[in-house]
Structure formats: structure tokens, C-alpha cells
Amino acid sequence: MIVFLKRWGALLLIVFTAAVTLSTFVPAFGHVEHDKIGHALVFGGMCFLVPFVFKPRKGVLLASGAIVGLSGVLEFLQSFVPERTASLDDMAANIIGATLGLFAALLIKNFFASSDDDTQRIERL
């Protein structure tokens, strides 16, 4: 999984970001009851990919910050789309999801990195 994310993560991140951006300009199809969960999952998924695409810690933080910034811009732009509204609740769900997605990716990446180190140590014996 880690190799797949390192190899295809950038493409997935671009496609994910484009889909989220384009969906902002589509009028809403009625009220969705649990849309905050959807917001958290979408931005969590985007930030989950970041550590696999950007190497230095600074790059990871800048990219994650850019995704959160994009979230704010998209929420603002929704106010100009018929039947869509900007919402601070949606923005909060985006930030929470982005934060959880980033932390989950860092935990997974560090777990596999430490298990790779252990494997290399055992192979040297």
C-alpha cells in the first residue's frame, strides 16, 4: 500500500482536488443530512495523501495548509452558486477531516518505516 501511495499519490491528489473543486460549482441536489461527515472524509482523504507525495516535513505542512486554504476558498465561492451556501460548519468539518487524515497518514507511514527498519536489522544478522 505504501509503495502504491508513493507511486500514484500525486495523481490521486490531483484528481481528488480537481473533483472537489469542480463539485463546488454544481448546484446542490437538495439537503443532505450528514454532509459534514462527507466534508471530513473528502478533505481527510486529500490530506491523507500529502505525506506520501511531499517528502520534507515543511512540504507536508505547506501542502496540508494549502488544502485547508482551498477549503476556505471553496466555501466562499459556494455563496455565488445557486442553491449552495457557504458554511462555517462545513469549513470546521473540512479542517477536522484534514487534520485527522494527515495524522492517520503520518502514523501509518511511520509505522511502516519502523517495521522496514526492523526488517533490515534482522536481515543483517
Side-chain angles (χ1 to χ4, degrees), residues 1-2 5-6 43-54 60 64 97-113:
M1 179 175 142
I2 299 295
L5 290 172
K6 286 181 179 180
F43 282 88
M46 290 168 64
C47 277
F48 180 84
L49 294 171
V50 166
F52 300 102
V53 176
F54 297 93
V60 169
S64 298
T99 303
L100 293 175
L102 179 62
F103 284 140
L106 291 173
L107 286 172
I108 289 169
K109 191 173 179 184
N110 287 333
F111 174 78
F112 282 107

Side-chain angles (χ1 to χ4, degrees), residues 12-61:
L12 289 171
L13 186 58
I14 290 167
V15 169
F16 219 145
T17 304
V20 168
T21 302
L22 292 174
S23 71
T24 299
F25 301 104
V26 176
F29 300 108
H31 179 71
V32 178
E33 193 65 34
H34 302 290
D35 75 322
K36 305 303 179 258
I37 295 170
H39 280 267
L41 290 173
V42 166
F43 282 88
M46 290 168 64
C47 277
F48 180 84
L49 294 171
V50 166
F52 300 102
V53 176
F54 297 93
K55 298 295 179 221
R57 191 173 298 176
K58 186 177 180 180
V60 169
L61 292 175

